Amino acid sequence: MTPQELIPPMLRPMVAMMVLTGVVWLFMYARRLGYMTRHGIDAQTVNTPQKMTQALPEGVEFASNNLKNLFELPVLFYAVCLVLIQLGWATHTDVTAAWVFVGLRAVHSAVHCTINIVMLRFIAYLGASLALWFMLGRVVMRLC
């Protein structure tokens, strides 16, 4: 068996979600630092989230808001995935639902960090959430 074959399939969408979080984090800092540098904003003058929001345009802060979102429902996603891996319950259906979650969260992040069309963002969020609730429901049903 190769090392690749030993990796639980559910681990890949988890790592992809972590990578997405890292990409949003990098995008947020690139936008913030770029704007602050171009406009001569001293970092000490934006030493609280409120001051940062006041000093930077809304569009620059979209990624910051999205990064906060990536520490809400995705935390439950990681927990559900770990339960599925630990108990050996991760089926093809669960892995597919996990990839749907990650894919739609990536769409949500791309929209939120750029054009921020609320209804488009909401549709991606809703789809991802339904995939997550489906995964959690399957765990709960197996426990009953």
Side-chain angles (χ1 to χ4, degrees), residues 38-112:
R38 283 190 310 277
H39 293 88
I41 298 173
D42 177 31
Q44 192 58 41
T45 65
V46 290
N47 61 356
T48 67
Q50 296 79 13
K51 290 179 183 177
M52 183 73 76
T53 300
Q54 291 170 353
L56 302 181
E58 186 178 69
V60 172
E61 285 298 279
F62 288 161
S64 174
N65 295 332
N66 186 254
L67 186 64
K68 292 172 193 161
N69 289 169
L70 291 172
F71 289 95
E72 293 172 354
L73 282 184
V75 172
L76 180 59
F77 169 76
Y78 295 126
V80 169
C81 289
L82 288 173
V83 167
L84 289 168
I85 291 169
Q86 183 64 33
L87 296 177
W89 288 353
T91 67
H92 178 72
T93 301
D94 299 304
V95 173
T96 300
W99 278 116
V100 167
F101 178 81
V102 171
L104 290 173
R105 286 308 300 227
V107 170
H108 176 271
S109 290
V111 171
H112 199 180

Side-chain angles (χ1 to χ4, degrees), residues 22-51:
V23 167
V24 170
W25 180 83
L26 286 170
F27 184 75
M28 175 191 73
Y29 275 104
R31 294 287 307 265
R32 278 183 172 179
L33 294 176
Y35 184 87
M36 290 171 65
T37 300
R38 283 190 310 277
H39 293 88
I41 298 173
D42 177 31
Q44 192 58 41
T45 65
V46 290
N47 61 356
T48 67
Q50 296 79 13
K51 290 179 183 177

